[in-house]
Amino acid sequence: MPELPEVETIVQGLSKVIIGKEIMEIIIREEKIIAYPSSSDFRKQLINKKIIGIRRRGKYILIMIEDELTLVIHLRMTGKLFIKPSDLTFDKHSHIIFRLDNAIDLRFNNVRKFGRMYLVDDNSWERAGGLDKLGPEPLDDDFTLGDFHKMLRKRKSNIKGLLLNQSFLAGLGNIYVDEALFRAGILPFRRTDTLKNREIERLYKGIRNVLKMGIKYGGTSFRDYRNARGEKGSFQEKLLVYQREGKECPVCGEEIVKEKVAGRGTHFCPHCQK
DNA sequence: CGAGGTACCTGACAGC
DNA sequence: TGCTGTCAGGTACCTC
């Protein structure tokens, strides 16, 4: 479900509420969500510990716990992480509940049960479900056009598939890839080694701009996504091609097309994108 | 290495 | 009303 801007919005929302709080109780209603370690070790190591920080890496949420532990959470599809005053009524899909010391719950809700949690030692991330294999952060200041150029030069696959690959670049998903490619004027099935310098530059800027805009508008909510307070984002109102099949291209007026590329539903303008 | 398919799950929606 | 098929913001794993 969530991509970089949605995860960033959730992290920003949670940081105001959970930092400095102690975990009093953990209610595990779906064991399989805890991927590492065992659910009993997971509970044992977290109980009565204080949350000292939270940050994002790609689409992963990293919650820093005292005693040099990191709770790593990936929401996958339909995952939500939100805060709520503690009570005993649990939504059908709230699988893990962290009860904090101010009578606030941090709840992990995930209709499709694809999301996973990992509890690892700080900076020891090889057990954290691929976190150690991520590519660069696209919004980092030290991720430059030159870096992007160098990374692309070694590749030959279609550009959409490559941008979805988290070990190539961290944080993009199906929505933001389609939007970035539209803004760059590049067809999603173009071979990476055919991209011209000026196209690579437009793509670099397109990726960064669309991610920044996504964060500014609090993410994209067209079905499940909600922030840490249960509110929708509004970037769905700014989408130019995603979920706009059959509608007019905002630039040329031609019809937006949807096809399967890299195994995913892919939206593009056959006139504006070359 | 890359491409393509399947699997993991549940729910919404279209069509009959 | 209800059945069936398809699709969904993600990723791991398998085969060729």
Side-chain angles (χ1 to χ4, degrees), chain A residues 74 187 192 218 266:
Chain A
H74 198 304
L187 287 167
T192 302
T266 298

Side-chain angles (χ1 to χ4, degrees), chain A residues 68-271:
Chain A
E68 297 175 350
L69 290 170
T70 302
L71 170 60
V72 178
I73 301 174
H74 198 304
L75 300 170
R76 298 273 184 100
M77 305 269 267
T78 70
K80 300 175 200 174
L81 198 57
F82 58 89
I83 45 154
K84 177 182 184 306
S86 298
D87 63 37
L88 293 173
T89 59
F90 303 124
D91 178 276
K92 182 179 176 188
H93 302 295
S94 285
H95 302 310
I96 311 287
I97 292 106
F98 299 91
R99 197 139 274 183
L100 307 182
D101 63 13
N102 52 347
I104 291 281
D105 284 355
L106 173 63
R107 296 190 179 196
F108 174 86
N109 180 300
N110 195 185
V111 169
R112 293 177 72 183
K113 300 181 181 169
F114 291 167
R116 292 293 180 267
M117 295 189 186
Y118 314 81
L119 182 64
V120 295
D121 293 338
D122 279 356
N123 303 316
S124 164
W125 292 343
E126 59 281 353
R127 306 305 293 266
L131 175 60
D132 56 331
K133 296 181 182 67
L134 289 181
E137 280 293 322
L139 292 181
D140 269 6
D141 289 340
D142 55 8
F143 175 66
T144 65
L145 174 59
D147 295 336
F148 190 50
H149 206 283
K150 245 180 260 172
M151 288 157 54
L152 283 171
R153 217 162 35 200
K154 299 178 220 154
R155 303 293 190 133
K156 293 177 181 171
S157 56
N158 72 64
I159 187 62
K160 168 139 186 178
L162 188 61
L163 294 177
L164 287 172
N165 181 345
Q166 301 300 297
S167 59
F168 175 75
L169 188 64
L172 288 171
N174 208 29
I175 298 176
Y176 293 91
V177 167
D178 282 4
E179 292 294 313
L181 287 169
F182 174 76
R183 283 160 173 78
I186 298 169
L187 287 167
F189 39 78
R190 274 281 295 283
R191 270 178 60 125
T192 302
D193 56 357
T194 67
L195 295 178
K196 309 266 194 301
N197 285 346
R198 65 172 194 288
E199 291 179 315
I200 293 173
E201 183 171 357
R202 290 203 306 261
L203 184 54
Y204 172 82
K205 288 179 179 164
I207 289 167
R208 293 182 35 122
N209 286 340
V210 82
L211 291 175
K212 283 181 200 165
M213 292 288 279
I215 294 169
K216 184 177 163 190
Y217 286 93
T220 304
S221 297
F222 56 74
R223 34 151 57 65
D224 301 303
Y225 168 69
R226 299 292 184 275
N227 69 17
R229 290 213 297 259
E231 304 155 341
K232 292 184 177 190
S234 63
F235 194 62
Q236 64 277 9
E237 296 160 17
K238 308 289 172 190
L239 296 174
L240 302 180
V241 287
Y242 194 85
Q243 286 246 320
R244 297 193 66 250
E245 181 189 11
K247 295 188 175 152
E248 283 184 6
C249 168
V251 174
C252 74
E254 296 269 309
E255 211 170 271
I256 303 293
V257 169
K258 182 179 178 187
E259 273 178 34
K260 194 160 267 196
V261 179
R264 311 293 300 277
T266 298
H267 313 74
F268 60 94
C269 171
H271 180 253

Side-chain angles (χ1 to χ4, degrees), chain A residues 24-38:
Chain A
M24 306 306 286
E25 188 185 351
I26 303 173
I27 301 161
I28 300 173
R29 304 175 72 228
E30 185 69 60
E31 299 262 343
K32 73 196 305 176
I33 302 295
I34 315 294
Y36 183 84
S38 68

